[in-house]
Amino acid sequence: MTATSTPSRPRPGGPVVGLLVLLWIGGLLAAGWWLFSIGMEQWAASYSPPDAASAELERRASRAGTTLVLVVAGGPLVIALVAYGMRLVRTAVVFLVLTLLLGGPALVLGAAANRDRQPPVPPPSAPGHCVELSGGDTRCPGG
């Protein structure tokens, strides 16, 4: 007696996961292009004196970079969760590993890049009142 194998039916969640993968790749391309175009604007603006427009470009570049990091790290995680919910366990494991391989370094690099973008600490302010110094003439009014 020979064993006949029945062909397995495709899982119903396959097209949904496939669509999510295509959306994730499209999001990666869009966020990467956004960051690239802002970088080109910054490069062109580097030949002019700094002004408010360059500060706005810095803010836009920070937002674009943060968006790219979130798409890189969050896309595979969402796909893994949806695949697991649709009982596509192997697909969920693959995208969970992809989340760890791409998301970990992306989050570390994004945090390192944004650490330098913090506003500088203002210098300590000079005293708001007249301070007399010993050993010399005073420049304080009335004294």
Side-chain angles (χ1 to χ4, degrees):
M1 183 172 201
T2 61
T4 59
S5 63
T6 58
S8 62
R9 293 183 310 174
R11 300 272 180 144
V16 173
V17 172
L19 180 64
L20 286 175
V21 170
L22 289 177
L23 286 173
W24 175 56
I25 291 171
L28 284 174
L29 293 174
W33 181 255
W34 184 29
L35 187 61
F36 175 76
S37 65
I38 291 173
M40 294 307 292
E41 286 180 49
Q42 285 179 320
W43 177 72
S46 68
Y47 291 105
S48 62
D51 57 352
S54 63
E56 176 61 26
L57 277 175
E58 285 289 324
R59 283 190 293 276
R60 286 178 44 209
S62 178
R63 282 192 302 260
T66 302
T67 302
L68 183 61
V69 166
L70 289 175
V71 170
V72 166
L77 181 63
V78 168
I79 294 169
L81 292 174
V82 169
Y84 186 75
M86 295 183 158
R87 299 186 189 272
L88 300 171
V89 178
R90 280 182 269 166
T91 305
V93 168
V94 167
F95 278 98
L96 189 60
V97 169
L98 195 61
T99 299
L100 296 174
L101 290 176
L102 293 177
L107 291 174
V108 169
L109 290 173
N114 283 329
R115 179 181 53 223
D116 297 333
R117 295 188 187 271
Q118 299 294 330
V121 177
S125 61
H129 58 282
C130 185
V131 177
E132 292 190 35
L133 302 175
S134 62
D137 62 343
T138 178
R139 303 218 189 279
C140 292

